[in-house]
């Protein structure tokens, strides 16, 4: 797993606006940190490749990763003025505020030297979140990691994870993402993200996603409340979402990715894996936190046995 891990501050009690909160509850955060925790909850052996700052926030992230069972051998601790990401957020659906502090972000200082030290032959897959591509040296380091993973036959997966504030321009993001997609076996992104890659509107993004799906490259095109469409060279198929009472909008994409990949590793069919990813997404938005809400296989099975298959 490659990308950002950080610290989340949730306004407490649930439902409170951050500016009126009387206290805050901490949790592991960051897209890659959440996905890694979700994979570990499924019993997979997971290692995170990233950088954190040599301070209390960085140490919090390291401690949380270890508590979830995520190996930190390839997490580099940086001295100096860089900082681990900190998100101040809320557990509420309407007008949710999420303030992210990423000034001089430690994770974007990941170096080629660092990624070259990873024994890629020991891993079956490399999952990358696209935020790692937003700036150098992390961008070039990420491309080297993808190159080395492919060289040893590992599955290369990218979650586009486009955050506009991290990029100099949408045009630059489109160029970089197209190169990353070319180097990936699995691509997961939403309609807004594919529109950016296509330098156009949602229709352009969907057409691009459909054209990229082949027998050798699987594209999962997420449509939010309308579910997702999978393009893989065969007949495209759609999957809806599970209806739950959500208490927050965050974490669905990370949960989807974690359970999708864990299900593929467990040799479920692609359709079953996407369905299980959708179920995990529903479970996470209906519970506190992102990493703390990631389901285990037994919890996921229990949810599926009590909820009807979603309609697309």
């Amino acid at each position: 797993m490659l990308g950002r891990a950080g610290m989340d501050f949730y306004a407490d009690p649930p439902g409170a606006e951050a500016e009126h909160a009387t206290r805050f509850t901490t949790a592991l955060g960051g897209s890659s940190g959440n996905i890694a925790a979700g994979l570990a909850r499924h019993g997979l052996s997971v290692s995170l490749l990233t950088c954190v700052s040599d301070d209390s926030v960085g140490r919090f992230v390291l401690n949380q990763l270890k508590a979830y069972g995520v190996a930190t051998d390839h997490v580099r601790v940086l001295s100096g003025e860089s900082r681990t990401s900190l998100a101040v957020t809320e557990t509420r659906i309407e007008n949710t505020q999420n303030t992210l502090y990423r000034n001089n972000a430690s994770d974007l200082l990941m170096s080629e030297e660092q990624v070259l030290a990873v024994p890629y032959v020991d891993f079956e897959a490399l999952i990358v979140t696209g935020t790692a591509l937003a700036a150098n040296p992390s961008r070039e380091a990420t491309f080297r990691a993808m190159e080395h993973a492919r060289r040893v036959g590992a599955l290369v997966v990218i979650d586009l994870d486009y955050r506009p504030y991290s990029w100099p321009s949408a045009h630059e993001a489109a160029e970089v993402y197209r190169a990353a997609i070319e180097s990936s076996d699995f691509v997961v992104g939403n309609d807004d993200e594919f529109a950016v890659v296509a330098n156009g509107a949602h229709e352009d993004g969907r057409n691009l996603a459909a054209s990229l799906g082949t027998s050798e490259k699987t594209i999962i095109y997420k449509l939010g409340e309308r579910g997702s469409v999978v393009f893989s060279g065969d007949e495209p198929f759609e999957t809806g979402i599970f209806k739950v009472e959500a208490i927050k909008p965050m974490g669905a994409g990370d949960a989807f990715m974690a359970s999708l990949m864990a299900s593929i590793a467990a040799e479920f069919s692609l359709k079953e894996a996407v369905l299980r990813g959708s179920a995990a997404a529903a479970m996470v938005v209906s519970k506190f936190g992102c990493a703390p809400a990631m389901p285990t296989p037994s919890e996921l099975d229990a949810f599926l046995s009590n909820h009807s298959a979603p309609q697309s």
Side-chain angles (χ1 to χ4, degrees):
M1 187 74 234
L2 183 157
R4 172 175 62 93
M7 183 181 198
D8 284 353
F9 267 1
Y10 281 90
D12 200 18
E17 295 178 329
E19 58 263 42
H20 298 303
T22 56
R23 57 188 181 273
F24 287 83
T25 301
T26 58
L28 175 66
S31 50
S32 293
N34 291 335
I35 296 168
L39 291 166
R41 279 275 176 89
H42 277 273
L44 274 67
S45 177
V46 188
S47 183
L48 183 62
L49 177 57
T50 193
C51 297
V52 297
S53 49
D54 187 13
D55 55 24
S56 59
V57 177
R59 288 188 287 276
F60 171 88
V61 170
L62 286 172
N63 289 336
Q64 284 289 297
L65 289 168
K66 292 172 184 176
Y68 281 102
V70 178
T72 59
D73 310 58
H74 304 296
V75 178
R76 185 179 176 191
V77 179
L78 301 178
S79 58
E81 296 303 314
S82 75
R83 291 291 178 262
T84 299
S85 295
L86 172 66
V88 179
T89 188
E90 301 165 338
T91 304
R92 61 192 187 113
I93 287 294
E94 297 296 329
N95 302 314
T96 311
Q97 299 180 102
N98 185 27
T99 304
L100 185 60
Y101 293 89
R102 277 181 60 72
N103 307 78
N104 194 17
S106 298
D107 56 282
L108 291 177
L109 297 179
M110 184 174 60
S111 67
E112 290 192 52
E113 178 186 9
Q114 181 183 350
V115 303
L116 291 176
V118 176
Y120 294 93
V121 70
D122 293 344
F123 298 94
E124 295 183 8
L126 171 68
I127 304 173
V128 173
T129 52
T131 305
L133 296 167
N136 279 316
S138 178
R139 179 184 299 171
E140 289 303 321
T142 300
F143 276 118
R144 296 293 78 76
M146 296 171 79
E147 174 187 321
H148 284 274
R150 287 180 69 85
R151 189 174 296 168
V152 299
L155 186 74
V156 177
V157 182
I158 184 167
D159 184 333
L160 297 182
D161 192 34
Y162 175 62
R163 312 293 176 102
Y165 54 77
S166 295
W167 291 84
S169 69
H171 178 74
E172 182 173 322
E175 290 186 341
V176 174
Y177 275 128
R178 283 194 287 268
I181 289 170
E182 181 66 25
S183 299
S184 302
D185 303 298
F186 248 87
V187 182
V188 179
N190 62 33
D191 47 1
D192 290 334
E193 290 165 338
F194 273 104
V196 169
V197 179
N199 281 317
H202 284 168
E203 183 179 355
D204 302 302
R206 179 163 179 148
N207 289 338
L208 175 64
S211 70
L212 291 169
T214 67
S215 59
E216 297 181 349
K217 192 185 301 289
T218 298
I219 308 295
I220 300 182
Y221 183 82
K222 297 188 294 185
L223 294 161
E225 294 182 354
R226 292 174 290 145
S228 61
V229 186
V230 176
F231 303 102
S232 61
D234 297 324
E235 187 70 23
F237 65 86
E238 300 185 14
T239 303
I241 65 168
F242 289 87
K243 300 293 185 181
V244 294
E245 187 173 341
I247 63 171
K248 68 182 190 307
M250 302 85 68
D254 297 339
F256 178 87
M257 175 63 88
S259 288
L260 169 75
M261 289 294 111
S263 299
I264 288 172
E267 299 186 343
F268 284 90
S269 70
L270 183 56
K271 284 187 177 181
E272 291 173 314
V274 173
L275 184 71
R276 292 174 71 83
S278 297
M283 294 175 74
V284 167
V285 297
S286 63
K287 297 181 179 179
F288 167 79
C290 293
M294 294 288 170
T296 64
S298 60
E299 290 170 341
L300 190 54
D301 289 339
F303 178 91
L304 286 165
S305 68
N306 290 311
H307 292 77
S308 301
Q311 299 298 311
S312 58

